[in-house]
Amino acid sequence: MERLKSLQLKHLAQVDAILAGILIILILLSVMIVTVGSVQDRSKSGQEVDLPETPVNLTAETAKPSETNYPGEETFPFQGKLTESGVRFREGPDVRTGRILAELSAGVKVTVTSKVGDWYYVILENEVGYIHSDFIERVE
């Protein structure tokens, strides 16, 4: 009988040790999951953000230039002119979904207020829209 109690206590001690080990592993996994989630959330903040195709309530009077410029970045606003004819002035920064507002001729001058990807956000005769940056050159 004494030996049986001794074996039961030994097994209970082993079970307790195993359960404690499992608990520690679960805690470590929880900490890792929270840490990885936090890192992923922070990395997402540096990713490009999908912008609406059409700016909401934005007119030539309310369009504001970028206030922060870093070394090597373009400064806004600036005056630009179109380098080719047939350039499309679009409602959004996308050739597939950006509705065409006008087709413009080479030499037309615009005020460039910002950049979204490869598209300049411009003011043209009190209208605002997008023109691909390949078709605008800065004029001094």
Side-chain angles (χ1 to χ4, degrees), residues 75 77-81 109-112 123 136-140:
T75 56
F78 69 84
Q79 294 300 309
K81 73 175 182 176
K109 292 187 179 176
V110 295
T111 301
V112 178
I123 299 171
I136 297 179
E137 69 179 8
R138 186 182 291 259
V139 290
E140 301 302 321

Side-chain angles (χ1 to χ4, degrees), residues 77-92:
F78 69 84
Q79 294 300 309
K81 73 175 182 176
L82 301 183
T83 58
E84 296 182 20
S85 288
V87 173
R88 295 185 173 138
F89 181 54
R90 295 181 179 272
E91 191 173 73

Side-chain angles (χ1 to χ4, degrees), residues 34-70:
V34 168
T35 303
V36 168
S38 173
V39 168
Q40 287 176 341
D41 288 344
R42 278 186 259 138
S43 71
K44 285 180 184 175
S45 68
Q47 292 178 345
E48 248 180 68
V49 176
D50 290 334
L51 298 174
E53 289 180 29
T54 307
V56 179
N57 296 327
L58 197 57
T59 64
E61 291 80 32
T62 60
K64 294 185 179 177
S66 171
E67 295 180 12
T68 306
N69 293 295
Y70 300 96

